[in-house]
Amino acid sequence: GQLDQRQLKKLRFTVNDILEAMRSKDVFYLEEVNLAVVETTGAVSIYKEPNANTNIDKATIPPFDIIVDGKERLYNLEYIGIPQDKINKILEKENISKENVLLLLVDGNGNYNCTAKEIK
């Protein structure tokens, strides 16, 4: 359910690589992932969190990436039907600036997962 930023860097994986690998396994919520393994072929195997189906109030519209590595993707707000001020409230609640966000995922219900960049 959390990104290991050191391993991502070591493997030269981007956040987008991980999100794509998750979606290819029909996993849309970061909280659903217990473990991701990069195989020698470069493929990513996903072991889902056993209780994820009961712990996550999934939305009809899955999470979209709104901020990746400090850069906004506000065009994705249109897909989930969430106003931009909701994103500002999330950042305020998390006490983080967009520049310090590694990944912000938001679904159609307004549920979100915010991962801060690790300080180097």
Side-chain angles (χ1 to χ4, degrees), residues 3 5 8 15 67-70 100-104 115-117:
L3 296 170
Q5 295 177 45
L8 284 175
V15 171
I67 301 176
V68 175
D69 201 15
N100 292 323
V101 173
L102 178 68
L103 178 63
L104 175 62
T115 303
K117 290 181 184 179

Side-chain angles (χ1 to χ4, degrees), residues 88-98 100-101 112 114 116:
N88 296 334
K89 288 177 183 173
I90 290 171
L91 295 175
E92 187 177 306
K93 179 180 176 186
E94 295 295 321
N95 193 28
I96 191 169
S97 68
K98 71 177 179 180
N100 292 323
V101 173
Y112 69 90
C114 185

Side-chain angles (χ1 to χ4, degrees), residues 5-6 15 17-18 22 32 35 40 44 46 51 57 62 65-67 76 78 84 86 88-89 109 116 119:
Q5 295 177 45
R6 286 189 206 117
V15 171
D17 293 332
I18 294 298
M22 287 171 49
E32 290 181 285
L35 179 68
T40 56
V44 178
I46 304 282
N51 299 320
D57 181 24
D65 48 326
I66 305 302
I67 301 176
N76 282 337
E78 179 181 331
Q84 185 172 349
K86 171 75 174 176
N88 296 334
K89 288 177 183 173
N109 289 348
I119 298 175

Side-chain angles (χ1 to χ4, degrees), residues 3-67:
L3 296 170
D4 185 337
Q5 295 177 45
R6 286 189 206 117
Q7 284 298 327
L8 284 175
K9 187 174 183 175
K10 184 177 174 182
L11 294 168
R12 297 184 183 162
F13 266 52
T14 66
V15 171
N16 289 326
D17 293 332
I18 294 298
L19 294 175
E20 181 180 339
M22 287 171 49
R23 289 189 301 266
S24 74
K25 306 292 184 187
D26 294 326
V27 176
F28 292 87
Y29 288 84
L30 197 56
E31 295 87 350
E32 290 181 285
V33 179
N34 186 320
L35 179 68
V37 177
V38 179
E39 306 294 351
T40 56
T41 61
V44 178
S45 298
I46 304 282
Y47 178 69
K48 291 174 79 172
E49 176 64 41
N51 299 320
N53 292 333
T54 58
N55 293 340
I56 300 170
D57 181 24
K58 295 181 183 176
T60 305
I61 301 170
F64 277 79
D65 48 326
I66 305 302
I67 301 176

